[in-house]
Amino acid sequence: VYRVTAQEFAGDTWSAIQSTTSAGVCTALDLMRAGKIATRGLIKQEDIALDTFLANRFGRIFASGAATPASVATTAPRAAA
């Protein structure tokens, strides 16, 4: 399990919910602008390939320690801090 905590962006402290919500939206918009996902119609988040999402400059917030299908079965949960 990867835990996102409060982070500093441009001199401001953002809560985990602020940074993860904005990262998800910005990633989708950035990929659409770059032509890497459809620009018309309904685009579901699960339609974006995980590798593409995590490689994006905004999606990287989720990449560190992110669980992949191959690692889920072998990754033990971390103890609560």
Side-chain angles (χ1 to χ4, degrees):
V1 176
Y2 175 61
R3 186 171 146 178
V4 177
T5 58
Q7 298 182 32
E8 192 169 312
F9 292 104
D12 292 325
T13 300
W14 287 36
S15 69
I17 193 71
Q18 288 174 308
S19 58
T20 56
T21 301
S22 60
V25 172
C26 290
T27 299
L29 290 172
D30 200 39
L31 291 172
M32 186 173 61
R33 185 191 59 75
K36 294 185 178 182
I37 59 174
T39 58
R40 301 182 119 195
L42 176 66
I43 303 161
K44 297 179 284 183
Q45 195 169 20
E46 58 267 23
D47 291 338
I48 302 171
L50 181 59
D51 291 343
T52 302
F53 188 91
L54 296 177
N56 181 271
R57 60 185 171 154
F58 299 108
R60 282 186 219 141
I61 191 172
F62 299 101
S64 181
T68 61
S71 67
V72 170
T74 59
T75 305
R78 293 181 187 169

